Amino acid sequence: MELSYRLNKIAEKVTINGIIADIGTDHAYIPIFLYKNDKIKSAIACDISKGSLQKAVDNINKYNLQNNIQTRLGNGLEKITLEDNVDTIIIAGMGGMLMIDILEKGKIIVNSVKELILQPQKDIDKVREYLHKNKFKIIDDEMLKDDGKYYTIIKAIKGNEDKLYKTEEYIFGRFEIDSKCKILKEYIEDQLYKMEIVLKNIKETNVQSRILEIEDNIKMYKEVLKCL
Ligand SMILES: C[S@@+](CC[C@H](N)C(=O)[O-])C[C@H]1O[C@@H](n2cnc3c(N)ncnc32)[C@H](O)[C@@H]1O
């Protein structure tokens, strides 16, 4: 089974030989791939949508993995119990605020696992902030581009950061900035280009507050770009 570049990168981050819960599994490609490649002991694939979970069931049956990957219909982590002994929670391909809501409602389970692997589609800064507020430490953070779109994958474990994050590290990721990530550089250049166009158009309408907001953003993006 071939995974997309994004899903493959998510799978790569999972610590081997554990039990995973894939929340919002949809097609269940990640648990199937991990199990078939001997990377995990077993998996629980959860989704809130009957249609999505049916896709997962069909794919799991296709690979004859019914005894190794369970499926559960439910909202977030509600169908996971402490007795499941989950090691890794994966939540990928959904908005950051929904992800935070799932983590918050499932706090008991979240605090019982060894690692979180999160790929929020937006509000990535809010997810990083949430992890820190809830005593998780970010041990890996990677930006990638797949099929023309930018994605970020965050891996976190229980613990505190040695050094507090700065605002721009919440927005762009400390690992990405420190490693002078080429994809981040490209992303910032793309965003700056778009912001300059918006700024030019907005200046014609004279909405002062929005102009200042965009100018501030442009300044901050340019500062980070200098470090990359
Ligand atoms: C875009 S798909 C992502 C699928 C897969 N995780 C990936 O990254 O390719 C999002 C999935 O999350 C599910 N979902 C949305 N809200 C959810 C929730 N509160 N609890 C569980 N699943 C949810 C949707 O039904 C959908 O199947």
Side-chain angles (χ1 to χ4, degrees), residues 3-16:
L3 287 187
S4 68
Y5 184 61
R6 173 184 67 93
L7 290 179
N8 201 50
K9 279 282 182 187
I10 294 169
E12 254 179 30
K13 310 270 180 216
V14 175
T15 302
I16 59 165

Side-chain angles (χ1 to χ4, degrees), residues 106-119:
K107 242 180 183 171
I108 295 176
I109 302 299
V110 170
N111 286 326
S112 76
V113 305
K114 296 196 181 114
E115 60 187 21
L116 305 175
I117 295 173
L118 309 172
Q119 184 263 298

Side-chain angles (χ1 to χ4, degrees), residues 13 23 40 93 96 114 119 122 129 144 150 187 196 216:
K13 310 270 180 216
I23 309 300
I40 53 168
K114 296 196 181 114
Q119 184 263 298
K122 51 183 185 166
E129 281 167 14
L144 56 106
Y150 296 99
Y187 169 78
E196 305 271 12
D216 278 352

Side-chain angles (χ1 to χ4, degrees), residues 114-116 135-139 155-160:
K114 296 196 181 114
E115 60 187 21
L116 305 175
K135 310 247 172 297
F136 275 89
K137 174 182 172 162
I138 298 171
I139 58 162
K155 179 168 177 173
I157 58 169
K158 273 278 165 198
N160 293 313

